[in-house]
Amino acid sequence: MAEGQSDDQVYEVIDATAPLRQAPSPDAPLDTEALKGERVIVHETEEGWARGKLVADGYAGFLPASALGAAGAPPTHKVAALRTLVFPGPSIKLPPLEALPLGARLAVARTAGAFAVTAAGGYLPARHLVAIEEMESDFVAVAERFLGAPYLWGGKTSLGLDCSGLVQVALTACGIASPRDSHIQEKALGRALAPAIDLAELRRGDLLFWHRHVAIVRDATSLIHANAFDMAVAVEPIEAAIARIRAAGSEVTSVRRLDPARR
């Protein structure tokens, strides 16, 4: 990517992940992450940073220019494992080139035994990939796979993610478009239930919102969320979570239910 250019062209994330920050500095707060294969509309680049917008969810900010490249062939597959390794050849004994997160997108050129070979020449375990159009059927189950992953503000991978990142990644795996931030998710996802919360009526997949926080209902008594109390993705009793967060000064602001056809 040429330094100082201004062209509003579409680029592709070529690193395993690319941080999108509030300002063009490695010390600036992390707002979100873009995953390998994601498209980015770049407005301008300067001093090693690209100011742009993620095509998938419209999030805007600054990304390292070195993490972006010319948009290549459309992705044919995506990573379905929580994390997978890319090797320089058809052997797991070779030093990996990179580790890719769930949801990373790749153009696969061919297969070689148990490996999928990308257009760029990387070898991945074929069993860790699915066709780009294949979707998960239970976003709660996807979220549960992140259990124990560390809490990271702005993160979207098993190396670290936040509450709304967990929701977005899980829904995306099921083909459901989701905004990035919890306060926008609260307005955009599903339909609001009655203002008075009846815990007995909660269903698997309902979303509980607080001010700047979201959790996913697992069953009649528990939820899963990435949270700064545990500093991890954790399962917590619903009543205990509501009481704990209330004690910290925040009440549940709404409960949203997704259309069953979209779950």
Side-chain angles (χ1 to χ4, degrees), residues 19-229:
L20 186 148
R21 301 190 181 278
Q22 291 181 14
S25 167
D27 297 328
L30 178 68
D31 275 343
T32 189
E33 292 178 310
L35 310 184
K36 190 181 188 75
E38 279 198 62
R39 269 38 178 182
V40 181
I41 298 173
V42 173
H43 305 309
E44 61 182 352
T45 59
E46 189 172 352
E47 297 183 354
W49 290 89
R51 182 175 65 85
K53 179 173 67 174
L54 306 185
V55 171
D57 61 16
Y59 220 109
F62 296 86
L63 303 99
S66 60
L68 306 179
T76 60
H77 291 72
K78 58 188 175 184
V79 176
L82 203 58
R83 190 162 289 275
T84 192
L85 299 175
V86 182
F87 299 94
S91 171
I92 60 173
K93 297 181 180 180
L94 296 172
L97 298 173
E98 59 183 345
L100 300 182
L102 175 76
R105 297 173 168 236
L106 304 158
V108 172
R110 60 188 176 89
T111 58
F115 291 93
V117 186
T118 69
Y123 287 72
L124 298 88
R127 66 187 302 165
H128 286 176
L129 303 179
V130 296
I132 199 73
E133 65 272 10
E134 186 172 330
M135 302 299 171
E136 298 274 359
S137 60
D138 182 352
F139 84 90
V140 184
V142 176
E144 290 170 333
R145 290 159 62 185
F146 286 89
L147 188 63
Y151 181 85
L152 173 66
W153 183 275
K156 285 178 55 176
T157 79
S158 61
L159 294 180
L161 69 176
D162 59 18
C163 64
S164 56
L166 178 65
V167 169
Q168 187 187 51
V169 168
L171 289 175
T172 298
C174 296
I176 302 172
S178 169
R180 178 59 177 88
D181 293 338
S182 62
H183 67 287
I184 306 177
Q185 291 173 347
E186 185 172 14
K187 298 176 182 178
L189 295 176
R191 60 181 176 85
L193 301 187
I197 301 169
D198 184 349
L199 299 185
E201 295 184 359
L202 293 178
R203 301 177 186 171
R204 181 177 174 87
D206 286 347
L207 300 175
L208 270 66
F209 288 92
W210 291 262
H211 178 65
R212 300 286 181 175
H213 186 62
V214 59
I216 305 168
V217 174
R218 293 177 66 243
D219 53 36
T221 61
S222 68
L223 53 76
I224 184 169
H225 56 161
N227 68 91
F229 178 77

